[in-house]
Amino acid sequence: MKKEVIIICESIYHGNTIKLAKAIAFALDCEIVSPQEALLMDLSQYKIVGLGSGIYFTSHHPKIIEALNSLNSGQQAFIFSTHGSPFLGSYHDSIKEELVKRSISVIGEFSCKGFDCTGPFIIIKGGNKGRPNEKDEQKAIKFISRILPQYVKNLNDVPKGHFVHVNEDCIACGKCIVVCPMNVFAINDNKAKAVDELACTHCSLCLEACPNRAISIKHGFVDAIRIAKRHARKKSL
Ligand SMILES: Cc1cc2nc3c(=O)[nH]c(=O)nc-3n(C[C@H](O)[C@H](O)[C@H](O)COP(=O)(O)O)c2cc1C
């Protein structure tokens, strides 16, 4: 894991913003902590801090603002959020003001729509259904690749011919083995390994379960068709 970037995220409503945080953390190979955890940590080793939450009453969550107290002047920050309204408008202004006060420069900001049932959205049982979606996550990764290219891992580092790859960050905790319904993984030489890649359905439960984000799955259109064909005749697990 890179030790120069960390993400602080609060996602209290529908877990919308944590989806962006996870996508960005995957690209950066960095840790995500809550504001409470951040306040208990020494963050001086980090050059860059990502700050993300939903937008609640036109600004970031107060706990994110409070967590700014754990940062030091001279550090750099990127901001991200999800919001219910069609436009971001000035929702990032208050956090930016707080950062300026602390002499922390903002190197970039990103926001997208998030599922929201507040206010008039209740009439249609929620607005921005399914957001953030995979496209939003890809946009978040593009954003971070643009502002921090030096920290973004090679997202195409899955060896050719492999659908599922476990990298050197694996700590052999076995969570992928427990969660995988298709028994794709086994521990081999103190590392998890995809021993039955062809059984993989790309359900992505392992990606969620891996505490070190050491697993990558190649999601291509052709792979998706192959998976569908491979599992077409299955009648049960
Ligand atoms: C109490 C509350 C206040 C909100 N205020 C706003 C707002 O002022 N503007 C906006 O665009 N969305 C607002 N939203 C919608 C959230 O920003 C949106 O659903 C966001 O994706 C939630 O992120 P989360 O799931 O990570 O908490 C509000 C939601 C809640 C629950």
Side-chain angles (χ1 to χ4, degrees), residues 10-18 53-59 82-87 91 112-118 131-132:
E10 185 78 340
S11 182
I12 57 157
Y13 187 27
H14 288 297
N16 295 336
T17 319
I18 197 75
S53 80
I55 296 294
Y56 318 101
F57 303 116
T58 76
S59 58
T82 59
H83 54 91
S85 74
F87 304 105
Y91 291 161
C112 74
K113 289 181 184 172
F115 180 56
D116 183 12
C117 304
T118 63
R131 306 286 299 273

Side-chain angles (χ1 to χ4, degrees), residues 179-208:
V179 82
C180 176
M182 305 302 288
N183 303 315
V184 168
F185 300 93
I187 302 283
N188 219 326
D189 284 340
N190 227 15
K191 293 261 176 250
K193 210 174 169 244
V195 289
D196 191 3
E197 280 176 281
L198 293 181
C200 174
T201 62
H202 293 198
C203 70
S204 302
L205 289 173
C206 56
L207 303 187
E208 301 274 320

Side-chain angles (χ1 to χ4, degrees), residues 9-34:
C9 181
E10 185 78 340
S11 182
I12 57 157
Y13 187 27
H14 288 297
N16 295 336
T17 319
I18 197 75
K19 286 188 195 167
L20 297 185
K22 282 185 178 174
I24 296 171
F26 174 71
L28 293 174
D29 235 351
C30 76
E31 200 182 347
I32 306 170
V33 294
S34 69

Side-chain angles (χ1 to χ4, degrees), residues 111-169:
S111 191
C112 74
K113 289 181 184 172
F115 180 56
D116 183 12
C117 304
T118 63
F121 278 139
I122 198 67
I123 302 165
I124 53 165
K125 295 194 172 139
N128 310 326
K129 291 193 180 84
R131 306 286 299 273
N133 54 25
E134 213 178 306
K135 258 192 184 167
D136 295 316
E137 289 170 7
Q138 288 304 328
K139 281 185 188 165
I141 290 175
K142 267 197 183 155
F143 152 75
I144 209 68
S145 306
R146 186 169 44 76
I147 64 162
L148 291 175
Q150 69 277 35
Y151 291 109
V152 171
K153 69 178 178 187
N154 182 1
L155 298 172
N156 298 319
D157 67 356
V158 181
K160 249 197 161 150
H162 287 258
F163 303 112
V164 188
H165 179 60
V166 185
N167 72 24
E168 64 284 357
D169 288 338

